[in-house]
Amino acid sequence: MQLQFPLQFEKVNSKKVSDFILEQLEEAIILKELLSEEQLPTERELATIFNASRLAVREALGQLEANGLIEKRVGAKGGTFVLPVTMNSHRRTKKEIEREWDKMLKVFEFRMLIEPEAAFLAAGRITPEELEQLQELLDMSRAEDCPRELFRALDVKFHLNIAKSSNNLYFEKAVRQIRTQINPALDLMPYNHEIRSVNCENHSLLLEAIQARDAGLSKEIMRQHIAKSAEAIYTRVFDGGERG
């Protein structure tokens, strides 16, 4: 049987080494795995970590700096430091989100399928240690003096930990991919006592359902939670308003 071309093959991608480094560092910053004011390793150390040349590392860092994600500082306490993602999100992402809203809608659709199912599985598979970690994240986010950037980091980690607790690597990878896409939009959200209280209450209800091993309720609470998140992003992007 002769194959009929063209089949749906991907075209060859001539991506540079620096682009691979950029993507990994950018993902770690967007997912708050590298926090604000955290110092990155030196170019030499990063070259060793990525098994790449210092030139490739330098190109990646230059792009991260241009994107407003890192800052190079000189002096006795100099080095390369992560900047608060929320500090530059208003100028870096809002127009992009408006231009690519159709793509964002597809991410929301994907999220609505993946995260509720991850919560469903987590309710049946989560370990006592993982439950304790979720409780610790929730307690930290409730602190009155919790700053904006840390609160956002705790929110991301809460969702990633639930995906990890599904004990299914595919769900965990999918949620990482989803959060990498939507975090810049979530970083546009205002930050005040009311926003924090609502988010913490949603997370508390979700944690209680998972602790009770109620898979169906866990799935439904997660579904409602992320639906409200999508609605809030739409309102923020298209209705505007002052940042909180």
Side-chain angles (χ1 to χ4, degrees):
M1 176 180 175
Q2 186 174 1
L3 291 176
Q4 297 298 312
F5 284 87
L7 297 176
Q8 294 301 309
F9 293 130
E10 286 190 34
K11 294 181 179 179
V12 173
N13 190 338
S14 59
K15 188 178 293 184
K16 298 187 297 184
V17 173
S18 61
D19 291 333
F20 284 101
I21 299 172
L22 170 64
E23 287 177 359
Q24 292 182 68
L25 289 174
E26 188 173 41
E27 179 181 287
I29 294 172
I30 291 174
L31 293 181
K32 320 292 184 181
E33 293 168 330
L34 292 172
L35 293 175
S36 171
E37 292 303 315
E38 190 167 342
Q39 184 173 1
L40 295 181
T42 65
E43 285 185 4
R44 184 186 300 276
E45 291 169 336
L46 286 172
T48 299
I49 291 170
F50 288 108
N51 191 28
S53 69
R54 291 183 65 179
L55 176 60
V57 169
R58 192 173 301 123
E59 288 179 357
L61 293 178
Q63 188 59 53
L64 287 173
E65 188 172 26
N67 291 346
L69 295 175
I70 63 171
E71 178 181 69
K72 294 181 180 178
R73 302 171 187 170
V74 297
K77 296 183 179 180
T80 302
F81 294 83
V82 177
L83 291 175
V85 174
T86 53
M87 186 177 77
N88 292 305
S89 61
H90 65 288
R91 69 172 177 81
R92 191 181 63 253
T93 64
K94 187 170 182 179
K95 292 298 182 183
E96 295 173 6
I97 295 168
E98 289 178 5
R99 288 195 303 266
E100 299 184 2
W101 187 248
D102 287 344
K103 176 181 177 182
M104 186 63 71
L105 286 176
K106 289 180 172 60
V107 176
F108 290 156
E109 288 179 349
F110 185 47
R111 188 185 190 198
M112 190 63 77
L113 292 171
I114 294 298
E115 288 210 56
E117 289 298 333
F120 181 94
L121 292 175
R125 300 175 179 178
I126 196 167
T127 66
E129 293 76 18
E130 289 170 333
L131 280 171
E132 186 176 340
Q133 289 171 3
L134 287 176
Q135 185 65 61
E136 289 175 357
L137 293 171
L138 180 57
D139 291 342
M140 290 173 65
S141 65
R142 281 174 167 158
E144 288 297 325
D145 59 348
C146 183
R148 179 193 188 105
E149 195 72 12
L150 177 58
F151 182 81
R152 292 288 304 112
L154 293 169
D155 174 68
V156 175
K157 195 166 183 62
F158 189 88
H159 283 263
L160 291 178
N161 278 20
I162 289 176
K164 185 176 182 180
S165 298
S166 72
N167 196 26
N168 186 316
L169 183 60
Y170 294 100
F171 275 97
E172 185 180 352
K173 287 183 175 181
V175 174
R176 286 185 65 86
Q177 181 184 17
I178 290 166
R179 294 301 301 221
T180 301
Q181 294 295 318
I182 69 170
N183 269 18
L186 288 171
D187 284 329
L188 292 171
M189 295 296 102
Y191 181 64
N192 53 45
H193 177 73
E194 181 181 358
I195 294 292
R196 187 176 63 183
S197 296
V198 170
N199 192 73
C200 288
E201 179 62 21
N202 289 335
H203 283 187
S204 179
L205 291 173
L206 180 55
L207 178 55
E208 288 174 7
I210 293 175
Q211 287 172 329
R213 305 289 178 176
D214 191 329
L217 183 59
S218 299
K219 178 177 179 177
E220 178 58 22
I221 292 175
M222 179 67 87
R223 188 195 67 77
Q224 294 179 14
H225 179 44
I226 63 180
K228 291 176 183 177
S229 175
E231 182 179 350
I233 290 172
Y234 176 87
T235 300
R236 192 63 174 171
V237 171
F238 291 98
D239 291 354
E242 295 300 318
R243 291 172 65 83

